[in-house]
Amino acid sequence: MAKKDRELKPLDIEETLPHQINAPSFKNTGIEMKAPFKNEHGVIIGDSLYASENSPLENWTDETDPAVMAGDKWVHPTNDIGWNTAENRDLLEEKRKPQGYPFMHPTKDVSKGQD
């Protein structure tokens, strides 16, 4: 199957991106992993290949306006290197429910006022 004809399927395995060693897990965060998408320039975003024959980066000239590479159309919501930063990993951790079972109640703080 030619690269341009392939179906754009999610790259995750159980809400992780194992092909990126430092990528965080989205498991139990409520954030749904998204499939790669083709933007208005015909560039596939989020396929982890980082090069596309239609990309302005691959066809750069002195006349290319850098603004053509700005905006959300160039950023994948879940397969983006920005998730590997400490700040964004912390955002994901904050979305996870505590895994204290069997030692804590999932919605009640039974130790409140005990110290």
Side-chain angles (χ1 to χ4, degrees):
M1 178 183 318
K3 180 180 172 182
K4 65 182 175 183
D5 297 329
R6 66 186 158 84
E7 189 176 335
L8 301 176
K9 297 180 181 178
L11 301 176
D12 68 291
I13 297 174
E14 296 182 13
E15 301 176 84
T16 65
L17 297 170
H19 63 283
Q20 293 183 25
I21 195 161
N22 292 319
S25 170
F26 286 79
K27 197 172 216 166
N28 299 321
T29 64
I31 298 174
E32 182 182 332
M33 299 295 290
K34 303 291 185 191
F37 65 90
K38 188 180 286 191
N39 72 11
E40 64 193 53
H41 300 282
V43 177
I44 296 174
I45 305 298
D47 64 356
S48 295
L49 297 178
Y50 307 110
S52 172
E53 61 189 44
N54 297 326
S55 173
L57 287 176
E58 304 299 322
N59 300 291
W60 204 264
T61 69
D62 289 341
E63 287 79 41
T64 303
D65 181 0
V68 74
M69 297 285 296
D72 289 342
K73 62 187 174 252
W74 296 101
V75 180
H76 192 272
T78 54
N79 187 8
D80 183 79
I81 197 163
W83 283 111
N84 297 354
T85 65
E87 296 84 1
N88 285 336
R89 291 174 75 93
D90 287 346
L91 288 174
L92 288 178
E93 285 298 320
E94 289 173 8
K95 291 183 176 290
R96 287 189 180 86
K97 291 183 179 178
Q99 300 297 310
Y101 176 81
F103 301 107
M104 71 188 265
H105 191 279
T107 60
K108 307 286 187 240
D109 182 0
V110 296
S111 67
K112 185 175 180 175
Q114 299 299 311
D115 24 284

